[in-house]
Amino acid sequence: MKFDYNSKYPSIEDLRTRAKKKIPKFAFEYLDGGCNEDVNLDKNTSEIREVEIKPYYLNNHLKSDMKTTLFGHQYDAPFGIAPIGLQGLMWPNAPEILAKAAFKHNIPFILSTVTTSSIERIAQITEGNAWFQLYHPTEDSLRDDIIKRAANAHYPVLVLLCDVPTFGYRPKDIRNGLAMPPKISLNNIIQILKRPEWALKTLIHGQPTFNTLKPYMPKDLDLKELGKFMDATFSGRLNEEKIKPIRDMWKGKLVLKGVATEEDTEIAIKLGFDGIIVSNHGGRQLDAGQSTIKPLVPIAKKYGDKIKVMMDSGLRSGPDIARALASGAEFTFLGRSFMYGVSALGDQGGNHTISILKTQLQQVMDQICCKTVEDFPHHLIKNDLTVQ
């Protein structure tokens, strides 16, 4: 098997370890942490790994194909890069690095409203093949303008976020001054001085800002005013009344991200969504909730023929992707894994991480004699986790 990546870092955990040494502590803890006691953050991955898949060795299997068609586009693999806020805080120019890698490898990159590159720049890099995730604005005029920009930039998919009606309680971010409003402490400055490469790259690319939101922000906001602006500008709580005008306005595919129940899936179908992403925001919002694999199974089984069912949160490897696909997901997204990669290896981090995941997933498919991604559910071993 050909390894198209740096053999010094052959796993996502290797990248996480290196990333921790490369970026300031406050940036790493923002990336790595969940909410409250990190219970659901840990459950996400541990419970995915309770899923077992079975091989069929004695057949005429020759080669597996991981290409996947989603919303009329054939992707080279059944995974993409999830939307992440403040990517440039963790590694300077991170969204552009990852968007370039996604385009090169023909997988989807989802741009967050609150990351550090603009709608137009990412559209340029991906030649109109990125997806855009919308944090719902409080003002209709702002909502309409952002959606119009995404349409004009030829984004094929709009993703609405429904699992952030409140900001998660994240003790590490509070200690590090990354709550709203953010603040810079002496401790933060000391951490930056210990990471000279990160500091130099930040100096070159500039202080990370919400570039998509720049046209709507007053000039020269200080950190306290930025907090007030964000609180006044966005309302994360979605309902049917807020969704209907977006569905009417958006002519492309519409996806709801953050679904965790059958009830919300039914509403999504009724409102005309083309797909859902079963997610718990990477364990960053509700520590007392379920891991993502738990609701995925009944949702996919009951509604998979009515709407595209995708999943993120907790996936850290090719075998994890295989487990999710076997459990009913048609497509998957990973967030932290890609940010570990770019934080660890800079400009090469995106390509490296995608290559790891492709190689791992290809090995699993060939090992279990799974010919296509659609065949994964035939390899699922039923167990207490996946039977509701």
Side-chain angles (χ1 to χ4, degrees), residues 15-33 86-92 94 176 178 187-188 190-199 201-202 336 338-346:
L15 295 174
R16 179 183 178 274
T17 300
R18 180 168 171 82
K20 190 174 183 179
K21 297 175 181 177
K22 289 283 296 294
I23 65 178
K25 180 183 176 185
F26 64 82
F28 181 81
E29 290 188 341
Y30 176 79
L31 164 61
D32 198 57
L86 282 174
Q87 285 167 306
L89 172 73
M90 291 166 273
W91 189 259
N176 290 326
L178 295 181
N187 193 33
N188 294 147
I190 292 171
Q191 291 171 26
I192 290 171
L193 293 175
K194 291 179 178 179
R195 299 292 185 263
E197 183 183 356
W198 181 94
K201 292 279 187 181
T202 298
R336 287 186 179 92
F338 287 105
M339 288 309 305
Y340 293 144
V342 77
S343 298
L345 301 178

Side-chain angles (χ1 to χ4, degrees), residues 145-185:
D145 194 64
I146 292 175
I147 291 175
K148 183 179 178 181
R149 287 170 61 193
N152 289 343
H154 306 294
Y155 281 72
V157 181
L158 179 66
V159 180
L160 300 187
L161 189 68
C162 69
D163 61 0
V164 189
T166 64
F167 288 112
Y169 190 85
R170 303 169 190 165
K172 292 176 184 176
D173 290 350
I174 294 171
R175 284 195 298 270
N176 290 326
L178 295 181
M180 279 294 178
K183 59 183 179 181
I184 298 295
S185 66

Side-chain angles (χ1 to χ4, degrees), residues 53 89 171 376:
I53 53 182
L89 172 73
F376 263 113

